[in-house]
Amino acid sequence: ADPILKLYQFDISKNTEASFEICSLTDKHLNPDIEYHLPEGSITEKNNTGDDPQYREKLVLSFYDKIKQAISSFDSASNVDTSLGHSECFATIAENLRGLNRKKAETNLLIVFSDLQENSEIFNCYPKANQELLQRRPNKVMEIFNNTHLLPDSLKGIKIFFVYEPHNREEDQRFNAIAEIFRVLLESRGAEVRIQANDNNFN
């Protein structure tokens, strides 16, 4: 959780409004999520009826604790050795990007922990023919995703991190092929995209 908590920069401005949301990438379009919101300082101060000088700091710490607990329980629920028959990566990522667009926050970050291996009605990464398509004709695959019209037209002001550590060369090639599709699709709409192997730092 620590690299994510640093992104809020409450050490620089403790009165900043902040939101956190976490959800699964599964074989379904609709997935339950956990969301927390901390209003800006001028709003929370109205509830400081006891004139506690540490009131805002306590709210920030409580916000941090909720995020840590959400990530911890999410990790426990996700660490099961059962594979799903399908994966709706693109639709879920697009839905979260639409949600970020609606919030119109000053800073918008989406962090995706996934190998991005789509297996849906849109596209299936697993057949050998489709792997070859990804490698040799990426524009064709891009066109397939584009034609869903699921992505917002503009993603300006949104920064997206794709985090995945391949176990071997084959996984590395498969991930990079589809990650490049995502990168071009998102950057062409104004997003800033980072692809990295670890979650130690997001900048």
Side-chain angles (χ1 to χ4, degrees):
D2 288 343
I4 292 173
L5 297 181
K6 286 179 184 176
L7 295 170
Y8 290 99
Q9 298 186 334
F10 282 121
D11 55 331
I12 297 172
S13 177
K14 67 179 182 180
N15 292 310
T16 304
E17 180 181 7
S19 292
F20 171 85
E21 186 174 348
I22 188 170
C23 78
S24 299
L25 282 169
T26 70
D27 58 349
K28 299 183 290 292
H29 281 268
L30 292 175
N31 298 289
D33 59 15
I34 301 170
E35 185 171 5
Y36 298 113
H37 175 246
L38 179 61
E40 64 180 1
S42 61
I43 294 174
T44 59
E45 188 58 29
K46 293 173 184 176
N47 298 320
N48 186 12
T49 53
D51 289 329
D52 181 355
Q54 301 298 315
Y55 185 73
R56 181 66 180 182
E57 285 80 359
K58 289 175 182 176
L59 289 180
V60 169
L61 289 176
S62 175
F63 183 68
Y64 280 170
D65 285 341
K66 288 175 182 174
I67 293 175
K68 287 177 183 176
Q69 186 177 350
I71 292 173
S72 178
S73 61
F74 189 83
D75 277 348
S76 299
S78 299
N79 281 337
V80 290
D81 292 327
T82 54
S83 59
L84 300 172
H86 296 84
S87 51
E88 295 282 353
C89 300
F90 185 74
T92 306
I93 291 168
E95 173 58 32
N96 279 272
L97 289 169
R98 292 196 297 271
L100 283 176
N101 257 1
R102 288 192 292 270
K103 286 178 179 172
K104 300 189 183 302
E106 189 175 314
T107 302
N108 295 284
L109 300 173
L110 178 66
I111 304 173
V112 182
F113 296 90
S114 172
D115 65 1
L116 300 178
Q117 298 302 297
E118 183 83 10
N119 183 2
S120 69
E121 292 179 359
I122 299 171
F123 188 76
N124 186 350
C125 287
Y126 292 96
K128 185 177 179 182
N130 285 354
Q131 275 298 312
E132 290 178 358
L133 196 65
L134 278 163
Q135 297 285 347
R136 298 176 183 175
R137 298 182 63 196
N139 287 342
K140 178 66 177 173
V141 181
M142 231 172 285
E143 186 181 339
I144 292 170
F145 283 115
N146 245 334
N147 287 340
T148 64
H149 303 291
L150 291 174
L151 288 172
D153 292 333
S154 175
L155 294 171
K156 286 181 181 176
I158 297 179
K159 196 170 185 178
I160 304 155
F161 294 89
F162 291 108
V163 185
Y164 178 67
E165 184 176 359
H167 294 94
N168 53 51
R169 183 175 174 81
E170 182 184 352
E171 285 186 4
D172 182 64
Q173 290 172 339
R174 291 171 71 94
F175 170 72
N176 282 313
I178 191 68
E180 182 64 11
I181 301 290
F182 274 87
R183 186 188 67 77
V184 174
L185 284 171
L186 300 173
E187 287 186 345
S188 68
R189 288 165 168 81
E192 191 176 341
V193 177
R194 295 280 187 276
I195 299 171
Q196 56 194 59
N198 60 59
D199 60 357
N200 296 332
N201 194 31
F202 301 106
N203 56 29

